């Protein structure tokens, strides 16, 4: 087989479909987020970032960077190994305590990313519980899907955010079997929010464990940043709350929080935990500082919600098609992969605005979009520039008329 020809043909297919992904070479500047420098073949230019998952700008917060500087001066760069072999640092222990407290759980367990935490925890729980049946929301993230697939457990897909369909599917399974219901709080592409309490009602009625992914909500919702489950007063009803340190907390890593026995079980059996070098101590220190700050301060969350509402209102007033939801995600619907990439390129090249196109397989074909994520640090001037740029592009390419048809 001519391997290079095969690789090239597959890549060419992505280009034809408008799905080929280009990494934009950005240099973030501490103290100046969401503004950055774009490095490209012809030189450098300033850009404003509108698609970062550092939702609150905590990646540059003085308490976070200060804690990281202190930790690296004390401990050096790396952790030195896996958690089992020389890689457990006191900063990891302190961070796990902060996370357990954040979600009101007995214990927490750190992973190297949110993807790994879902893959390892779901794969271990569903794989080790005897004859487990897993019930997964149809819109769950790839990391959850991969973890469930890795477990080889029997899988049932229930309709998105539909407790009644979940109830019907649970009722078809032997009541004596172990069952696990896996879902998210905020779905990152559409921005819709799960009815967590209703799903807990159904799961409890059938004796099922509940596993909630809060990665796009931790830090952003609840009195202390515990996510939608804290905001809605239902965190105590969830068996596992999973989250990330790489989005609103502005650093890196993933975690689960649960009972002490459940966390110990995953710690003891999950290959994705056992055989992975642990987070650098400075990363753990920065994440703990970010969590502590956001537990005590609601200023960032309030400003974030205000900015999101302002962006959404301005886009709607300009007749830019925005998918409605109750979260901080602002999806601008293009519904064409080639146009979506072209609009993204134009925003970057002509207006100094960075918004990545979101195409298949991240979203379904025909639902391509620009996923805009306002932050507390975007100014009124930034918002006006974004809306003006999109309005100019929409008028230029006639997308409004195309969408109306």
């Amino acid at each position: 087989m001519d391997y290079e020809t095969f690789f090239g043909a597959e890549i060419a297919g992505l280009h034809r479909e408008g799905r080929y992904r280009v990494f934009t070479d950005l240099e973030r500047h501490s103290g100046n987020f969401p503004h950055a420098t774009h490095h490209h073949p012809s030189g450098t230019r300033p850009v404003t970032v509108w698609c970062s998952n550092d939702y609150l700008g905590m990646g540059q917060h003085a308490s976070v960077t200060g804690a990281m500087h202190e930790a690296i001066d004390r401990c050096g760069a790396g952790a030195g190994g896996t958690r089992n072999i020389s890689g457990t640092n006191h900063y990891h222990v302190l961070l796990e305590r902060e996370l357990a407290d954040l979600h009101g759980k007995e214990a927490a367990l750190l992973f190297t990313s949110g993807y790994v935490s879902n893959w390892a925890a779901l794969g271990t729980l569903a794989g080790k519980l005897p004859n487990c049946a897993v019930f997964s929301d149809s819109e769950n993230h790839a990391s959850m899907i991969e973890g469930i697939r890795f477990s080889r457990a029997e899988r049932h897909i229930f309709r998105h955010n539909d407790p009644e369909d979940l109830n019907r599917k649970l009722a078809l399974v032997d009541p004596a079997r172990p069952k696990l219901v896996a879902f998210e709080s905020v779905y990152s592409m559409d921005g819709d929010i799960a009815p967590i309490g209703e799903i807990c009602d159904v799961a409890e009625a059938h004796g099922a464990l509940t596993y909630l992914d809060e990665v796009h909500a931790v830090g952003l919702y609840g009195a202390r940043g515990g996510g939608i489950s804290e905001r809605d007063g239902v965190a105590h009803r969830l068996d596992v709350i999973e989250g990330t340190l790489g989005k609103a907390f502005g650093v890196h890593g993933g975690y689960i929080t649960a009972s002490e026995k459940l966390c110990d079980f995953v710690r003891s059996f999950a290959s994705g935990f056992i055989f992975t070098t642990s987070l650098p101590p400075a990363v753990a220190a920065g994440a703990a500082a970010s969590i502590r700050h956001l537990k005590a301060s609601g200023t960032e969350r309030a400003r974030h919600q205000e900015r999101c509402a302002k962006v959404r209102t301005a886009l709607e007033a300009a007749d830019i098609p925005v998918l409605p939801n109750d979260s901080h995600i602002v999806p601008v619907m293009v519904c064409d992969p080639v146009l979506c990439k072209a609009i993204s390129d134009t925003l970057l090249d002509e207006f100094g605005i960075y918004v990545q196109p979101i195409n298949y397989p991240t979203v379904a074909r025909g639902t391509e979009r620009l996923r805009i994520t306002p932050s507390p640090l975007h100014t009124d001037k930034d918002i006006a520039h974004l809306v003006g740029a999109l309005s100019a592009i929409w008028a230029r390419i006639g997308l409004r008329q195309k969408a109306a048809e």
Side-chain angles (χ1 to χ4, degrees), residues 183-205:
F183 61 111
E184 302 181 39
S185 59
V186 176
Y187 288 83
S188 63
M189 289 301 124
D190 287 351
D192 51 337
I193 296 175
I196 300 174
E198 295 175 53
I199 291 175
C200 286
D201 290 341
V202 173
E204 289 165 3

Side-chain angles (χ1 to χ4, degrees), residues 364-375:
R365 297 180 193 274
T367 69
E368 294 81 9
R369 68 201 62 187
L370 302 172
R371 179 181 176 272
I372 294 172
T373 56
S375 80

Side-chain angles (χ1 to χ4, degrees), residues 177-242:
R177 288 181 66 183
K179 294 172 284 292
L180 189 154
V181 176
F183 61 111
E184 302 181 39
S185 59
V186 176
Y187 288 83
S188 63
M189 289 301 124
D190 287 351
D192 51 337
I193 296 175
I196 300 174
E198 295 175 53
I199 291 175
C200 286
D201 290 341
V202 173
E204 289 165 3
H206 292 275
L209 285 173
T210 46
Y211 184 108
L212 178 68
D213 177 316
E214 284 261 41
V215 297
H216 289 278
V218 289
L220 301 174
Y221 300 91
R224 301 194 310 153
I228 298 295
S229 58
E230 183 192 25
R231 186 198 71 176
D232 293 353
V234 294
H236 64 286
R237 300 179 64 187
L238 294 151
D239 294 294
V240 182
I241 296 177
E242 182 267 349

